[in-house]
Amino acid sequence: MDKYGCKKIVFSSTATVYGEQEIPFKETQPAGAEHTTNPYATSKAIIEKILQDKAISDKEFRCSILRYFNPIGAHSSGLIGENPNGIPNNLMPYIGKVAMKELKELSVFGNDYPTRDGTGVRDYIHVVDLAEAHLKALEYIEEKSGCHIHNIGTGNGYSVLEMVGAFEKESGLEVPYKIAPRRAGDIAEYYADPTKAKKELGWEASKNLSDMCKDTAKFLQMNK
Ligand code: UDP
């Protein structure tokens, strides 16, 4: 970036930099490599630190760190979406492949977490809301110097089984599942406190779980 005189960056970080702590997660809570529970989160935490240090050492450097919760969904046109190669790691793409009969059944990783139905709870955010957050973040660092951190989530948590139920309802497709062991490094439950993004970026999620499921299903059906 220095070589090409690029002084602004919006960095795609992750809510997993908070690790396991009080929910909802706020930007004022401690976060970083010493809190993470998996190597993906650690790699993001290390880059956040590099960007923060760079902003201290170079006053012209500006950055926006967006801590994504769980992005899902597709553009409502059905033209832009996600079609991972091989076996997906993330929940929604896996649900999609099961619904389209490309995979037999979903493995629900653990039903003995201290959550309302025992399955993991996450804050799912529509990808179009996420894209809009980036535009707001770019506008923000046009105005403000330094390094700024914002949570990008809805503030609502849904369990794995609630996600399966919502997807089946909105798509009319079936998603068979089985209960499987917990996945190493997973946390029971977390969701965002998105008030800082609303206050500073003027951004908040506008789409709900029904939109996320409908748009995912439309993309899958249009791109069989
Ligand atoms: N999950 C699951 N089966 C899968 C993939 C994910 O039960 O095949 C669960 C996972 O344990 C977590 C939630 O779904 O509780 C979201 O997982 P994902 O990998 O999408 O995102 P993460 O929260 O791990 O970043």
Side-chain angles (χ1 to χ4, degrees), residues 70 89-91 106-109 120 122 124 160 183 186 190:
N70 286 58
N89 287 314
N90 295 113
L91 179 64
L106 170 73
S107 293
V108 175
F109 297 144
R122 296 288 182 275
Y124 295 92
V160 176
R183 181 172 65 179
D186 269 357
Y190 61 86

Side-chain angles (χ1 to χ4, degrees), residues 62-128:
R62 297 175 174 202
C63 71
S64 159
I65 293 173
L66 299 182
R67 291 184 176 155
Y68 296 9
F69 281 66
N70 286 58
I72 61 167
H75 191 263
S76 59
S77 62
L79 295 174
I80 313 173
E82 177 178 24
N83 181 18
N85 290 327
I87 302 194
N89 287 314
N90 295 113
L91 179 64
M92 204 53 167
Y94 206 107
I95 288 178
K97 293 223 184 253
V98 173
M100 299 310 286
K101 304 204 183 301
E102 290 171 41
L103 292 170
K104 188 167 146 266
E105 60 188 356
L106 170 73
S107 293
V108 175
F109 297 144
N111 69 346
D112 56 353
Y113 284 106
T115 60
R116 51 187 173 268
D117 62 16
T119 66
V121 170
R122 296 288 182 275
D123 182 339
Y124 295 92
I125 169 93
H126 194 294
V127 285
V128 171

